[in-house]
Amino acid sequence: MNYVYILYSVKLSKYYIGFTTISIGERLKKHLSNHSGYTSRTKDWEIVYTEEFLLREEALKREKEIKNWKSKIKIEDLIRTK
C-alpha cells in the first residue's frame, strides 16, 4: 500500500504532510527518531489523518495536492471530514 498522511505537532502548532510505502506506525517512529529534517525539531508529532492508495502515483499526486493548498484551515477541514 501507499499512504498519504498528516502529522501535527502541538508544540509547533504545525502540520506535516507526507507519503510512505511502509506502515504509518513505522513511518511515525522514523519521524520521532533522531534524524535531521523538518520533523526533527520536536518529538510530539501525532498522526491526525491518513489516506490509502493502491498506486504510488495516485498517492504522490494527492500528497502534492494537499501540500499545494498551503492553508491550515483547508487542511483542518480535511482532517475533520475523516
Side-chain angles (χ1 to χ4, degrees):
M1 281 308 251
N2 301 279
Y3 303 93
V4 172
Y5 60 93
I6 300 175
L7 304 179
Y8 181 72
S9 165
V10 172
K11 182 179 176 183
L12 299 176
S13 186
K14 298 277 184 189
Y15 290 98
Y16 175 86
I17 300 149
F19 156 83
T20 189
T21 58
I22 63 175
S23 77
I24 297 294
E26 286 300 311
R27 188 65 185 108
L28 179 60
K29 285 180 189 176
K30 289 185 178 190
H31 282 294
L32 298 176
S33 69
N34 291 329
H35 71 287
S36 60
Y38 184 82
T39 60
S40 67
R41 299 188 297 167
T42 187
K43 301 295 181 213
D44 74 333
W45 294 101
E46 298 177 1
I47 300 166
V48 294
Y49 183 82
T50 61
E51 287 185 32
E52 292 183 10
F53 298 87
L54 290 176
L55 300 176
R56 176 184 177 93
E57 296 77 21
E58 290 177 348
L60 289 170
K61 182 179 175 183
R62 179 64 166 155
E63 177 196 27
K64 185 175 180 178
E65 175 187 14
I66 296 169
K67 284 182 173 181
N68 284 337
W69 290 347
K70 300 189 186 311
S71 166
K72 192 172 190 176
I73 293 169
K74 199 164 181 180
I75 291 168
E76 289 171 345
D77 286 345
L78 175 65
I79 292 165
R80 273 193 293 276
T81 63
K82 168 173 123 168

